[in-house]
Amino acid sequence: MNRKLFDYIAASPTAYHAVEHTAKILSDRGYSELREGEKWSLEAGKGYYVTRNCSSLIAFKVPSKDFCGFMMTASHSDSPTFKVKENPELSDGKYLRLSVEKYGGMLCSTWMDRPLSVAGRVTVRTENGFETKLVDLGEFSAIIPNVAIHMNRNANDGMSYNPAVDMLPLFGEAGESGRFMDLIAEKAGSDKADIITTDLFLYNLDAGKEWGSFITAPRLDDLQCAFASLQAFAASNESESATVYCLFDNEEVGSGTKQGAASTFLYDVLYRINSVLGGDGEDLMRRISNSFLVSCDNAHAVHPNHPEFSDKNHTVTMNGGIVIKYNANQKYTTDAVSSALFRLVCEEAGVPVQSYANRADMPGGSTLGNIANTQVSLNTVDIGLAQLAMHSALETAGAKDTEYMVKALTSFYNKSIIAEKDGSYRFK
Ligand code: ZN
């Protein structure tokens, strides 16, 4: 399973590639592509997917008979990285560097002295307009070099990194001006003059590895969850609910984009499934009330050298199974009801669960469950797999946990949930 996960991560250097690769996996399994701008017709028993901005994707399966609700998972396609600015090359007479800015909150030090490449998308002029093409340099193309210890004797005493100074990657020598866009154009198979604009990002070239009880790979947050929930979605049997798989872009920058979890994308898709299958507004409300969302985003394992950063009673460990995340201020959506629903699913699947909460004096991170709820409000649980070094260029997780998540979410997708009254539910 982890080998397949590493292949998925390697094929997904950016959110665009993650969506393209996920779409290919789905279409190889018989799912049909829908376009938001075209009229949909849906067939019972069939699977579909739709993308927005080439960086978010929602897939769903239509049950063969009348359905009671939507069983959904959501994860994110993006990871913290550096975006290459519109005018990409910086020349100082000696070196050619790339002009970049931060995308999300990465651990800067982990991006240094590491083989980096560049991938993303370009818009290319066509006869009557333009098209989007994905590009990936695919090889060691840049490095962000540290300053030698001899020139910075305090380097081991806590560094502060200025992204405009310290984090600019070396790309070549001064005489190579123009080479960056030459390479991008070559990878796009287009004339450089026809490239109108770009969305390009650095990425870490390291391949995922399993070692002992652990796995180490780039972008485990959140491609481990994206991969595991996709496996579960594809493997699930038909139930009395429509199953829905969501992969949202822009979680790392707050989700507030047309394709992020704060957008209407999920609502729009649910609305269309309901109405194309003959449901009215009342049917949609009824169905959402009998629905459930599992927001899947990785969690912080207790750190081997710094256990003091974890709450003593809520430490979670790698290979300990699914982490259910709690937060009194509802940065995580989990409450007694959604937690009970999901715990029963895991119990039946024979998958261990552990409870996570931040130390009461540490604010912790945020994720997409509560943000998605502002557009589609329904019972939601926040879960993840325990990992170390979140937002490092190279992250570490448990070797057994991917399989645990596939098992738990397959069991989840095979169920339907009926609201007997507010706060009481039964499985079907
Ligand atoms: Zn995440």
Side-chain angles (χ1 to χ4, degrees):
M1 184 62 75
N2 286 324
R3 189 157 297 280
K4 278 170 80 181
L5 166 66
F6 299 149
D7 290 344
Y8 184 82
I9 290 172
S12 309
T14 71
Y16 310 110
H17 293 82
V19 161
E20 185 189 54
H21 188 57
T22 301
K24 181 169 184 323
I25 291 171
L26 290 167
S27 72
D28 286 350
R29 288 176 177 250
Y31 289 75
S32 307
E33 184 178 5
L34 297 167
R35 298 207 169 90
E36 287 200 280
E38 291 172 3
K39 196 161 176 58
W40 290 6
S41 74
L42 304 176
E43 254 179 79
K46 289 259 168 78
Y48 300 88
Y49 66 90
V50 55
T51 66
R52 186 180 280 189
N53 189 51
C54 314
S55 64
S56 290
L57 175 147
I58 297 178
F60 57 90
K61 275 189 275 197
V62 180
S64 46
K65 49 183 177 183
D66 191 29
F67 67 106
C68 48
F70 303 97
M71 298 296 272
M72 306 188 278
T73 66
S75 53
H76 63 90
S77 56
D78 62 326
S79 306
T81 177
F82 293 86
K83 185 167 193 213
V84 181
K85 290 183 180 174
E86 194 60 21
N87 300 322
E89 291 183 349
L90 263 174
S91 181
D92 59 5
K94 297 180 192 65
Y95 295 116
L96 195 63
R97 290 173 298 162
L98 296 179
S99 178
V100 298
E101 60 185 322
K102 288 166 80 172
Y103 174 88
M106 74 290 290
L107 285 163
C108 283
S109 64
T110 64
W111 282 81
M112 308 192 88
D113 303 332
R114 184 180 287 288
L116 301 175
S117 193
V118 177
R121 67 173 175 182
V122 295
T123 46
V124 182
R125 203 179 299 278
T126 58
E127 205 176 332
N128 299 314
F130 67 90
E131 62 178 334
T132 294
K133 287 187 174 179
L134 300 201
V135 290
D136 179 5
L137 294 187
E139 56 185 20
F140 192 167
S141 313
I143 198 159
I144 308 174
N146 258 300
V147 172
I149 188 80
H150 317 82
M151 294 171 176
N152 181 10
R153 295 281 177 190
N154 301 325
N156 293 327
D157 302 328
M159 276 283 288
S160 104
Y161 296 95
N162 180 338
V165 177
D166 300 303
M167 304 311 296
L168 300 178
L170 173 67
F171 178 71
E173 294 183 307
E176 297 176 276
S177 273
R179 189 167 69 90
F180 180 71
M181 282 310 296
D182 287 343
L183 280 176
I184 294 293
E186 186 188 314
K187 290 291 177 186
S190 304
D191 270 3
K192 193 167 154 181
D194 288 335
I195 294 183
I196 306 168
T197 189
T198 64
D199 286 316
L200 299 170
F201 298 88
L202 299 185
Y203 73 92
N204 173 13
L205 274 166
D206 283 327
K209 288 213 168 58
E210 185 166 337
W211 56 282
S213 305
F214 306 109
I215 55 171
T216 292
R219 305 183 290 284
L220 284 175
D221 171 19
D222 192 25
L223 295 182
Q224 190 179 17
C225 288
F227 168 80
S229 49
L230 179 65
Q231 296 298 309
F233 171 74
S236 60
N237 304 319
E238 194 182 311
S239 78
E240 289 183 35
S241 289
T243 53
V244 181
Y245 168 85
C246 309
L247 182 59
F248 289 117
D249 192 10
N250 301 129
E251 191 276 340
E252 299 295 356
V253 293
S255 298
T257 56
K258 66 185 181 299
Q259 64 276 2
S263 74
T264 59
F265 189 26
L266 177 57
Y267 181 80
D268 297 345
V269 171
L270 300 186
Y271 178 92
R272 288 178 82 161
I273 298 171
N274 178 71
S275 61
V276 171
L277 295 173
D280 60 16
E282 166 83 3
D283 294 328
L284 180 62
M285 295 303 111
R286 220 168 23 82
R287 282 171 170 153
I288 288 177
S289 154
N290 289 318
S291 297
F292 195 72
L293 174 65
V294 184
S295 160
C296 312
D297 199 359
N298 273 359
H300 304 297
V302 61
H303 194 281
N305 302 333
H306 286 286
E308 71 278 12
F309 291 140
S310 296
D311 183 273
K312 282 197 172 55
N313 227 13
H314 298 89
T315 56
V316 297
T317 55
M318 294 177 285
N319 297 316
I322 304 257
V323 177
I324 302 184
K325 304 193 251 181
Y326 296 84
N327 176 254
N329 296 309
Q330 291 292 290
K331 288 280 183 212
Y332 303 132
T333 51
T334 313
D335 57 24
V337 167
S338 64
S339 167
L341 274 165
F342 197 70
R343 278 172 185 274
L344 290 180
V345 169
C346 292
E347 197 176 287
E348 196 195 288
V351 172
V353 296
Q354 20 183 8
S355 304
Y356 177 85
N358 294 315
R359 270 178 61 129
D361 55 359
M362 290 175 83
S366 60
T367 182
L368 35 77
N370 64 330
I371 294 173
N373 262 252
T374 60
Q375 296 291 343
V376 184
S377 313
L378 76 167
N379 280 317
T380 303
V381 67
D382 270 289
I383 66 158
L385 297 174
Q387 69 157 90
L388 294 171
M390 190 177 285
H391 292 192
S392 167
L394 200 58
E395 300 171 323
T396 294
K400 290 184 193 163
D401 285 331
T402 314
E403 189 93 51
Y404 280 144
M405 185 166 275
V406 175
K407 215 170 150 189
L409 292 179
T410 305
S411 170
F412 163 75
Y413 273 129
N414 284 339
K415 291 189 181 342
S416 293
I417 287 164
I418 306 294
E420 303 218 285
K421 59 178 185 176
D422 192 18
S424 303
Y425 297 82
R426 69 181 158 84
F427 292 106
K428 233 175 129 182

